[in-house]
Amino acid sequence: MFVQQLEPVADSLGLSALVATLPLLTVLVLLGAVRMKAHRAGLIGLAMAVAVAWLVFGMPLGQTASSAAQGAVFGLFPILWIVVNALWVYRMTVRTRHFDILRRSFGRLSDDPRIQALVVAFCFGALLEALAGFGAPVAISAVMLVALGFDPVRAAVVALVANTAPVAFGAMGTPVVTLAQVTGIPLDTVATVVGRQTPLLALVVPLLLVALVDGRRGLRETWVPALACGFAFAAAQFAASNYVSAQLADIGAALAGAGALVAVPHARRPAAEPVRAAVLTGARSEDLDRDDPRADVLRAYAPYALIVAIFSVAQIPPVKDFLAEATRTFDWPFLDVAGPTGDPVGGNVFSLPLVATGGTLVLLAGLGTAAVLGVHARVAAREWAATVHELRFAILTVTSVLALAYVMNLSGQAATIGHFVADAGAGLAFLSPVLGWFGVAVTGSDTSANALFGALQVTAAEQSGLSPELLAAANSSGGVLGKMISPQNLTIACAAVGLAGKEGDLLRKVLPWSLGLLLVMCLIVVGQSTAVLGWMLP
């Protein structure tokens, strides 16, 4: 058995924590300063984590390699299993031109560009985040806005800012699933607390979007539909994450937000020509005026309806129990780790949900999508393989970052940092979302930031007397606000709208909003850690 040490360097917690941060610092410097590709930075960071675990923290090399393997396997299944299958569904809609039909359907909902921004960037972007995440919502939303006539810079800014509130439950709940796995806190508990933080952002973001599109006039003239959209989104996200399923939180929220916009008469009023002239400075796509048969429109919406239906059925208790029977739980080979107190850690045991996992359910929806859209089995298989090829570097990045996180967690590096950070005391509640924000800003992924810092947050909370569930959730909720400034997302947004090389300009436009919303989230978490907002927590 390997027993974790908290102070392996000169019996000093401070020096030990400093050495333990080397893997994280390596990744952050390589990404932020050197601007190395994320998958290379992740692999080098993993090598550093292995070296520190073996040479400094005394973890046997075999157990170190085993912990890295466990992290990589978890990255592949269920994390990337969800992402690959979700993106596969999207690729089939693009191949069959049903995605274009969907885009035209959105364009006909309203000719007001401020409402279009809410429909495309906030609501549909949230649906894409729910299904795929990892940059897809920003790229697709930005392209659709440009096709509707938006200036490329404005389209990119709107798409980036909109991609905040849904991120914590994106890719079928992947970030919170990862957070639950690395912290040992039950998924339902983590999702419940996150679901009492990010919906508060959803109340603000739609108002911010109409202001970004059309300034004070946009806020003055469209605050009613914006507020209705935000409230419906927030209510649905809260209800789903607390009482239904973390995997369905964003899907339900996106549909509720869109439904609210359709229901508000104000949203369907024609936009005044001065508004359109001021906002729509780009070239409008000519195919927007094409009429599509009702049957084709229904088929365009079918993939998303199938996903909602399958996930909803999977949450019915008898069905959920039946699917869970295929889950395999076993002792991870060549791993026997105890915490500093001598108690075995949860990482010694690995759970493999073969059927009761988001990726398998999305795969079933994908098979249904292929049938509904008339995609031949051979073509569908080629599209799935092409999806894996397209994500090859993302696969390498996610597996290496999760392997790094597991090595740091199981070797005791995260615990040492957590004990040291715990000295911040009450101030830790304010800093907790900042740590998540920083992690996402650098890695571009709330999933990766949760893997890196989730266990650290829990350890620090336990040492400082704060709620581990609150700080773990704060890591994810603060992280969503770092998404819009991450180099990965900025690059995706610029590439999507033809602004390659303008990432710095885009960063300057979105950074103030990222910092402002982060401050709001920090204050929310501080309030929830005291009697002021403590009543909000379960």
Side-chain angles (χ1 to χ4, degrees):
M1 177 181 285
F2 165 69
V3 180
Q4 295 174 350
Q5 306 175 62
L6 291 177
E7 302 176 351
V9 181
D11 293 325
S12 167
L13 184 62
L15 289 176
S16 300
L18 182 63
V19 173
T21 60
L22 287 177
L24 293 177
L25 289 175
T26 299
V27 174
L28 300 181
V29 169
L30 291 177
L31 283 174
V34 181
R35 298 190 177 184
M36 183 180 287
K37 296 290 187 183
H39 63 280
R40 293 175 182 167
L43 289 171
I44 294 173
L46 171 61
M48 178 62 74
V50 168
V52 172
W54 178 36
L55 299 175
V56 179
F57 281 76
M59 189 179 199
L61 188 57
Q63 295 211 48
T64 304
S66 181
S67 61
Q70 183 180 156
V73 169
F74 179 69
L76 290 171
F77 192 98
I79 302 303
L80 287 162
W81 180 236
I82 297 171
V83 177
V84 168
N85 289 325
L87 199 56
W88 172 54
V89 172
Y90 162 71
R91 284 180 64 99
M92 285 193 290
T93 67
V94 172
R95 183 182 181 90
T96 58
R97 306 284 185 182
H98 284 87
F99 182 75
D100 292 332
I101 296 172
L102 195 66
R103 178 168 56 85
R104 286 193 289 271
S105 175
F106 290 158
R108 283 191 290 271
L109 178 64
S110 172
D111 72 344
D112 189 326
R114 299 163 300 189
I115 303 302
Q116 290 174 343
L118 293 177
V119 173
V120 173
F122 189 68
C123 297
F124 187 60
L127 188 60
L128 291 171
E129 182 66 38
L131 301 178
F134 294 90
V138 170
I140 296 166
S141 297
V143 168
M144 289 178 72
L145 289 174
V146 170
L148 289 169
F150 277 67
D151 169 74
V153 173
R154 183 175 283 154
V157 169
V158 167
L160 285 166
V161 174
N163 191 223
T164 49
V167 168
F169 296 103
M172 295 300 173
T174 297
V176 290
V177 169
T178 303
L179 186 61
Q181 181 76 12
V182 300
T183 60
I185 300 173
L187 173 59
D188 290 344
T189 303
V190 170
T192 295
V193 181
V194 175
R196 296 171 190 229
Q197 294 172 342
T198 56
L200 298 175
L201 292 176
L203 296 173
V204 178
V205 172
L207 295 168
L208 178 55
L209 292 179
V210 297
L212 286 171
V213 171
D214 194 29
R216 293 182 180 178
R217 177 178 58 187
L219 199 55
R220 185 175 63 251
E221 295 181 359
T222 55
W223 68 269
V224 173
L227 197 58
C229 177
F231 182 82
F233 186 102
Q237 192 183 61
F238 163 77
S241 60
N242 277 261
Y243 305 113
V244 183
S245 163
Q247 287 89 345
L248 286 176
D250 279 349
I251 294 177
L255 296 176
L261 282 174
V262 172
V264 176
H266 191 97
R268 298 195 298 276
R269 294 177 189 166
E273 193 53 41
V275 173
R276 293 178 56 78
V279 176
L280 301 180
T281 55
R284 185 173 180 273
S285 179
E286 294 180 0
D287 74 342
L288 289 173
D289 299 320
R290 185 189 308 170
D291 288 327
D292 297 300
R294 183 179 295 273
D296 287 346
V297 174
L298 290 175
R299 275 196 292 270
Y301 283 93
Y304 311 104
L306 279 170
I307 289 173
V308 173
I310 289 173
F311 270 83
S312 298
V313 170
Q315 298 308 311
I316 299 172
V319 178
K320 191 173 184 178
D321 294 340
F322 175 75
L323 296 178
E325 290 179 3
T327 298
R328 296 290 177 263
T329 301
F330 53 91
D331 293 331
W332 188 259
F334 310 111
L335 198 63
D336 188 9
V337 180
T341 60
D343 298 321
V345 299
N348 293 326
V349 179
F350 190 76
S351 182
L352 197 64
L354 297 173
V355 180
T357 183
T360 302
L361 298 179
V362 176
L363 177 64
L364 293 175
L367 296 174
T369 296
V372 171
L373 301 185
V375 180
H376 192 277
R378 191 183 303 107
V379 175
R382 278 204 302 266
E383 286 295 326
W384 194 92
T387 302
V388 174
H389 183 264
E390 179 184 337
L391 290 173
R392 62 193 184 282
F393 294 121
I395 291 171
L396 197 52
T397 300
V398 171
T399 52
S400 61
V401 168
L402 278 161
L404 179 155
Y406 269 59
V407 169
M408 289 190 65
N409 293 341
L410 290 168
S411 67
Q413 295 174 61
T416 295
I417 299 171
H419 279 74
F420 181 74
V421 172
D423 290 340
L428 187 59
F430 185 88
L431 294 175
S432 185
V434 177
L435 191 60
W437 174 85
F438 184 65
V440 176
V442 172
T443 66
S445 164
D446 201 36
T447 298
S448 297
N450 286 344
L452 288 173
F453 299 134
L456 186 155
Q457 297 266 23
V458 168
T459 304
E462 291 170 344
Q463 293 301 308
S464 60
L466 294 170
S467 164
E469 294 82 6
L470 174 62
L471 294 201
N475 191 82
S476 193
S477 298
V480 306
L481 300 169
K483 191 89 167 176
M484 69 177 84
I485 64 166
S486 70
Q488 172 185 309
N489 257 25
L490 290 170
T491 302
I492 289 171
C494 286
V497 298
L499 294 174
K502 301 289 186 181
E503 289 85 357
D505 297 338
L506 208 53
L507 174 62
R508 285 191 289 274
K509 288 183 177 295
V510 297
L511 181 58
W513 302 112
S514 178
L515 292 174
L517 291 171
L518 174 63
L519 177 60
V520 172
M521 182 54 66
C522 290
L523 295 175
I524 289 171
V525 174
V526 169
Q528 290 179 334
S529 70
T530 66
V532 177
L533 296 178
W535 54 269
M536 293 179 63
L537 299 180

